[in-house]
Amino acid sequence: MKKVIVIALVFLMGTMLFAAGAKETVVDDTPTIRLLTDATGIDDKSFNAAAWRGIVEFYGDTVENTPGRGKYYDVVTATTQDMYIPNLKQAADEEYDVIMVTGFTWADALGEVAPLYPNQNFVIVDVDWVGHPNVMEFIYSEEEGSYLVGLAAALQAKAEGIVNPRFGFIGGVPGGTITKFEMGYIQGLLSVFPNAPVVDYYANDWGKPELAKAQAKNWYDSGIYAIFSAAGGTGNGTIAQAKEYRLQGRNVWAIGVDSDQHEDGIYEGTRSAVLTSMLKRVEASSLYALNAAKAGTFKGEVVKMSLVDDGVGYSQANSELKPEVVAAIEAAKADIISGKIKIYGTYRDALAARAVPTGLAALDD
């Protein structure tokens, strides 16, 4: 009798385990995602890093601890652009629920691949022209957040008593998206110093910090007070040079982009060479797409993120950013949201409104 009971119990437990296993397989509706990046990867401390941060957050993980990697999510970095199409096709063949690419350099490749996999969900950030029913596209009002950091740099210079301050902007690859950063930044600067000299430089690369570092050194040596870089990993060179000079006691600033780069600028104790950062919350795109996939509402659409929905903003992490500067930025933020302050995102429109100087290297799409 005992033997029968034991056998029965073993059978019952096995049945329960089998049922439990089957149940887990059926109810685990957690979507899977592969992030595809350019050569700068998720260690760019900027754009790609923000997308990755949103992905791991969705699964309850952190950038430092990713137990779900390989099961629910992963990332593949393309060393060259000719790997874009093969990487897209491979991810689609492996049947990820969502495939996400970051940056307008992916647009042509995605436009070619997406129609080949009509049941595959694709996401692209910084593009609104792919236009396929299975592609969710995210664009940001970068000019709004950039206006705020331009305002921060100018107001900080004014508070510090800098006479006739000069400013710089370093871009990665020229195009409409980066132009929005530059236009907003300059309009923020000129709202405080209408005649302030502003210089710009485009590295034509997202992953060469040595180019930004060399340019930043030249500019700082010539008297530039602050430099805003919207150049992916290339912009890390600006921060590196600002750190060196602030360690030497020179009053120069770098401005970060996309992610809060305050910690990247730390040069002594808790002091950072990054005055503020233009926050472009790309992680919000990752979360939006994954939540849509989980809810079964994913669709091809253009989603715009702005100050209104906290899609862009600025960092207050640096304690040296003066309180009166923060107060003025917050007031300007409210005026942008209300429409009282008008910001032009294209060079064409900004020139027509006489809101920026002529002779800049910025390009519209």
Side-chain angles (χ1 to χ4, degrees):
M1 182 66 178
K2 183 178 179 180
K3 183 177 180 180
V4 172
I5 294 174
V6 170
I7 292 172
L9 285 171
V10 170
F11 176 79
L12 179 60
M13 289 174 65
T15 303
M16 291 173 64
L17 288 171
F18 174 81
K23 183 178 180 182
E24 182 180 354
T25 302
V26 171
V27 302
D28 189 0
D29 59 352
T30 307
T32 58
I33 184 170
R34 173 170 285 178
L35 174 65
L36 302 177
T37 77
D38 61 12
T40 59
I42 57 173
D43 296 322
D44 65 347
K45 301 181 180 180
S46 184
F47 189 72
N48 295 328
W52 181 245
R53 188 164 57 247
I55 289 172
V56 300
E57 179 184 332
F58 176 82
Y59 298 97
D61 296 346
T62 65
V63 172
E64 297 77 21
N65 183 27
T66 57
R69 186 171 183 175
K71 179 179 180 181
Y72 294 120
Y73 60 89
D74 68 1
V75 59
V76 172
T77 297
T79 54
T80 60
Q81 288 194 19
D82 60 7
M83 292 302 297
Y84 285 5
I85 289 177
N87 286 358
L88 281 164
K89 287 183 175 180
Q90 180 181 0
D93 289 338
E94 293 180 16
E95 299 183 342
Y96 282 83
D97 293 313
V98 179
I99 299 170
M100 182 175 188
V101 297
T102 50
F104 62 85
T105 57
W106 283 89
D108 290 344
L110 182 57
E112 180 177 331
V113 173
L116 304 178
Y117 298 89
N119 297 319
Q120 173 66 58
N121 297 326
F122 292 98
V123 176
I124 187 167
V125 178
D126 275 355
V127 169
D128 64 356
W129 63 84
V130 175
H132 293 298
N134 58 334
V135 178
M136 185 178 285
E137 305 172 69
F138 289 88
I139 56 173
Y140 285 75
S141 297
E142 292 93 349
E143 69 276 12
E144 294 180 352
S146 298
Y147 182 97
L148 298 182
V149 298
L151 188 62
L155 290 172
Q156 186 79 4
K158 186 176 182 179
E160 291 179 353
I162 306 297
V163 179
N164 300 322
R166 301 168 60 213
F167 303 92
F169 175 84
I170 293 178
V173 179
T177 298
I178 302 303
T179 293
K180 290 194 288 182
F181 285 93
E182 183 173 7
M183 294 303 104
Y185 172 62
I186 294 175
Q187 289 168 74
L189 294 170
L190 300 187
S191 71
V192 179
F193 294 105
N195 300 311
V198 182
V199 291
D200 68 349
Y201 163 76
Y202 281 81
N204 288 301
D205 201 286
W206 302 115
K208 291 186 177 179
E210 65 274 13
L211 297 179
K213 191 173 189 297
Q215 186 64 67
K217 183 179 187 303
N218 290 336
W219 281 349
Y220 288 141
D221 288 345
S222 70
I224 294 293
Y225 171 74
I227 301 172
F228 177 34
S229 296
T234 295
N236 294 329
T238 302
I239 297 174
Q241 189 60 50
K243 288 169 65 174
E244 289 183 18
Y245 275 173
R246 286 196 70 83
L247 192 59
Q248 296 172 18
R250 298 178 60 173
N251 189 19
V252 298
W253 290 107
I255 298 173
V257 73
D258 295 334
S259 300
D260 188 347
Q261 295 188 290
H262 174 78
E263 291 190 3
D264 300 323
I266 291 177
Y267 61 94
E268 184 179 53
T270 59
R271 302 185 70 188
S272 176
V274 175
L275 178 65
T276 184
S277 297
M278 198 297 269
L279 303 179
K280 179 176 175 179
R281 297 186 171 92
V282 179
E283 59 267 37
S285 298
S286 306
L287 291 166
Y288 184 104
L290 283 165
N291 280 315
K294 184 173 183 178
T297 58
F298 190 103
K299 62 180 180 179
E301 61 178 327
V302 175
V303 182
K304 186 170 185 177
M305 303 272 184
S306 66
L307 276 177
V308 173
D309 47 31
D310 206 31
V312 296
Y314 75 105
S315 168
Q316 301 180 31
N318 196 326
S319 61
E320 294 187 66
L321 190 64
K322 297 185 180 297
E324 62 268 30
V325 171
V326 173
I329 296 171
E330 288 298 310
K333 180 178 176 180
D335 286 343
I336 293 170
I337 292 172
S338 71
K340 183 177 180 180
I341 293 178
K342 169 70 174 177
I343 306 171
Y344 302 94
T346 67
Y347 193 19
R348 177 183 59 256
D349 290 345
L351 280 174
R354 298 184 179 180
V356 298
T358 60
L360 298 173
L363 295 176
D364 294 323
D365 288 332

